[in-house]
Amino acid sequence: MSVKISSTPVRVTIELSGEIDHHNAAALRLEADEAIQMHLSPNVRIDFGNVTFMDSSGIGFVLGRYRIVDSYGGNVEVVNLSKRLYSMMKLAGLEKIVKLKTK
């Protein structure tokens, strides 16, 4: 699993690749949270375009970042979801709190 983070004054983009599971989710959370809290951008985009596997830790990852960003009035957008990952997130109810976009 790897993460690439970039930022502009209006957006922090978190690009994930590889597998997201309970073994690596903690490290992802720390890196993403640090970037979000440093920039406090009004928009956070989480890009799942290169994610090859995800268990429920991926849903927890999105939910946790949403809670941080929502606390200061920002928005989260999850992009480049495969149909399978989109279905998982939709079943978890994430479409009610974040924007979900497929590839």
Side-chain angles (χ1 to χ4, degrees):
M1 169 94 291
S2 69
V3 61
K4 178 182 172 189
I5 298 175
S6 58
S7 64
T8 67
V10 296
R11 176 178 294 132
V12 169
T13 301
I14 302 165
E15 295 178 57
L16 305 171
S17 63
E19 297 184 358
I20 302 174
D21 59 25
H22 70 278
H23 296 292
N24 58 25
L28 292 176
R29 287 192 298 267
L30 289 174
E31 195 167 346
D33 291 352
E34 182 179 298
I36 291 169
Q37 292 170 344
M38 182 181 355
H39 297 285
L40 296 178
S41 296
N43 300 293
V44 172
R45 175 179 286 165
I46 305 172
D47 188 335
F48 276 76
N50 293 313
V51 172
T52 57
F53 172 82
M54 180 185 89
D55 65 11
S56 62
S57 300
I59 292 168
F61 178 83
V62 172
L63 185 57
R65 289 351 84 209
Y66 164 76
R67 288 181 178 152
I68 292 170
V69 174
D70 185 59
S71 72
Y72 62 82
N75 300 299
V76 174
E77 175 183 46
V78 182
V79 300
N80 292 321
L81 291 164
S82 66
K83 291 182 181 192
R84 183 179 157 304
L85 296 182
Y86 177 81
S87 295
M88 287 175 67
M89 291 196 185
K90 192 169 180 179
L91 283 170
L94 291 181
E95 85 281 358
K96 296 174 186 172
I97 58 172
V98 302
K99 293 178 187 175
L100 299 177
K101 295 183 179 180
T102 58
K103 291 183 180 182

